[in-house]
Amino acid sequence: MEPGLRGVQSGVAMGRLQRPILPAPLLLLLLLSAAPAAQAFEPISVGIAIGAASALTGYLSYPDFYCRFVECCREEQPLNASALKLDLEEKLFGQHLAREVILKALTGFRNNKNPKKPLTLSLHGWAGTGKNFVSQIVAENLHPKGLKSNFVHLFVSTLHFPHEQEIKLYQEQLQKWIRGNVSACERSVFIFDEMDKLHRGLIDSIKPFLDYYEQVDGISYRKAIFIFLSNAGGDLITRMALDFWRAGKKREDIQLKDLEPVLSLGVFNNKNSGLWHTSLIDKSLIDYFVPFLPLEYKHVKMCVRAEMKSRGFAIDEEVVTRVADEMTFFPKEEKIYSDKGCKTVQTRLDFH
């Protein structure tokens, strides 16, 4: 089984082999010598042709020119922090903690020319709160093609690792896929979705790549990024948010230090989590546990407006209200939080 990650295994591209591309001058010489009328060419004509081909090769040798046509792994390309900040502010709603942590973590990591380990983020919260959306924003800001990039690799637990009895095989494959892709691009991004459905013990196979090693088998993983997405811990996050609300405090008053210790411990001891008793937590290899708070009615309306805008529609507040009113909210008494977040906004808007 081969995950849909367009990856490379042991540094060799998996899939169809490609023919080598000859340098332009050499290719032109071969064509000229093979042509039936090659002897009829005047020396000056051949010289001009070869000179033109050499000039073309000179242009192609410049990375900026070449990379206009082929996706390149630009290892020293700086992160546009302003663009990332704007994307998070305009597209992610109700998640002040996630916005702050993601921006600071990515900016600091990419500005560090000699990181001591890969950046590892673990995103937690109920479905529809924005975890997948944030991973998409991150991918697009790191590599122009986003999730379609050859250097961004998405693993979905139920799709790529479905059978518990095949854990040993999955561990070996996962190591090979990561090793091959990082050897091709040290700025590779790996996203693991549905971590709460990942078989226990599987994720520990990548511990050496996340650790403080300068190299593992001759390859440095220090500039790679690993992102875990999980519903595990959603109950702990909701409990904290509800406590703040009942105490009359603003959700924006919740700080990372209020949630991160509780979240990391809760996920570590959650038997329904792919991070259950994992060495990644035990050895403090996850840099940030990022909580995604449950979304309120006002946030759902913001999601509806954003979806209408993305479709090129004029914002109709009556439609916005109708779509938001169709959502269900909890707890039963207060009805504060959307039980599906913004997950079904797109399909519900289709009916209006």
Side-chain angles (χ1 to χ4, degrees), residues 122 195 198-207 210 228 264 267-270 273-286 289:
S122 194
M195 280 295 295
L198 190 69
H199 302 300
R200 285 179 283 177
L202 176 54
I203 201 64
D204 285 290
S205 64
I206 70 171
K207 175 188 173 294
L210 273 59
F228 304 135
S264 62
V267 171
F268 183 77
N269 290 318
N270 186 342
S273 167
L275 295 171
W276 181 75
H277 284 193
T278 176
S279 58
L280 304 187
I281 297 179
D282 191 41
K283 300 299 181 181
S284 301
L285 298 180
I286 296 178
F289 289 86

Side-chain angles (χ1 to χ4, degrees), residues 33-308:
S33 63
Q39 296 180 353
F41 285 108
E42 297 179 2
I44 189 170
S45 300
V46 175
I48 292 174
I50 293 176
S54 298
L56 177 61
T57 303
Y59 280 116
L60 291 174
S61 66
Y62 286 100
D64 289 342
F65 184 86
Y66 176 77
C67 295
R68 291 180 184 178
F69 305 97
V70 178
E71 186 183 19
C72 297
C73 177
R74 302 196 178 201
E75 298 176 354
E76 301 305 323
Q77 182 176 358
L79 173 69
N80 188 335
S82 298
L84 174 60
K85 181 180 179 181
L86 186 63
D87 278 346
L88 292 171
E89 288 177 349
E90 292 187 349
K91 300 176 182 179
L92 183 66
F93 307 120
Q95 304 298 352
H96 68 284
L97 292 175
R99 282 203 305 266
E100 178 182 348
V101 175
I102 296 295
L103 180 62
K104 288 185 177 180
L106 283 176
T107 303
F109 181 72
R110 289 301 294 267
N111 287 342
N112 185 353
K113 294 184 178 180
N114 187 31
K116 300 302 181 184
K117 66 178 292 296
L119 176 64
T120 307
L121 306 173
S122 194
L123 280 49
H124 297 267
W126 291 131
T129 53
K131 302 184 301 297
N132 289 84
F133 193 45
V134 162
S135 67
Q136 177 182 334
I137 291 174
V138 169
E140 290 172 351
N141 278 270
L142 294 175
H143 297 284
K145 290 189 176 182
L147 294 177
K148 296 181 180 179
S149 170
N150 290 322
F151 313 123
V152 176
H153 314 286
L154 173 64
F155 299 90
V156 181
S157 297
T158 52
L159 175 63
H160 297 128
F161 314 110
H163 307 298
E164 187 172 6
Q165 65 272 22
E166 299 289 348
I167 284 183
K168 291 295 183 183
L169 174 63
Y170 297 151
Q171 289 177 330
E172 294 174 3
Q173 289 180 331
L174 192 53
Q175 288 180 342
K176 289 180 180 178
W177 290 322
I178 292 176
R179 185 183 301 117
N181 282 296
V182 174
S183 67
C185 178
E186 64 178 0
R187 292 289 190 184
S188 291
V189 179
F190 301 93
I191 302 171
F192 292 80
D193 195 10
E194 298 183 346
M195 280 295 295
D196 47 303
K197 297 180 177 65
L198 190 69
H199 302 300
R200 285 179 283 177
L202 176 54
I203 201 64
D204 285 290
S205 64
I206 70 171
K207 175 188 173 294
F209 307 142
L210 273 59
D211 216 326
Y212 289 83
Y213 298 122
E214 185 173 352
Q215 290 188 343
V216 178
D217 293 334
I219 301 172
S220 173
Y221 297 86
R222 291 181 167 186
K223 294 184 178 181
I225 295 177
F226 294 81
I227 303 175
F228 304 135
L229 312 179
S230 177
N231 290 349
D235 55 337
L236 301 174
I237 298 169
T238 299
R239 190 180 307 154
M240 177 72 71
L242 194 57
D243 287 345
F244 267 67
W245 184 85
R246 286 171 174 166
K249 301 178 182 178
K250 298 179 181 179
R251 64 189 281 128
E252 289 77 17
D253 292 336
I254 302 175
Q255 300 181 39
L256 186 63
K257 64 181 182 180
D258 297 323
L259 269 170
E260 194 172 30
V262 177
L263 189 56
S264 62
L265 182 61
V267 171
F268 183 77
N269 290 318
N270 186 342
K271 291 186 177 181
N272 295 319
S273 167
L275 295 171
W276 181 75
H277 284 193
T278 176
S279 58
L280 304 187
I281 297 179
D282 191 41
K283 300 299 181 181
S284 301
L285 298 180
I286 296 178
D287 298 297
Y288 295 98
F289 289 86
V290 186
F292 281 69
L293 303 175
L295 298 181
E296 300 174 10
Y297 181 80
K298 63 181 179 181
H299 303 127
V300 174
K301 295 182 76 172
M302 295 168 77
C303 291
V304 179
R305 294 188 190 101
E307 180 61 22
M308 295 180 75

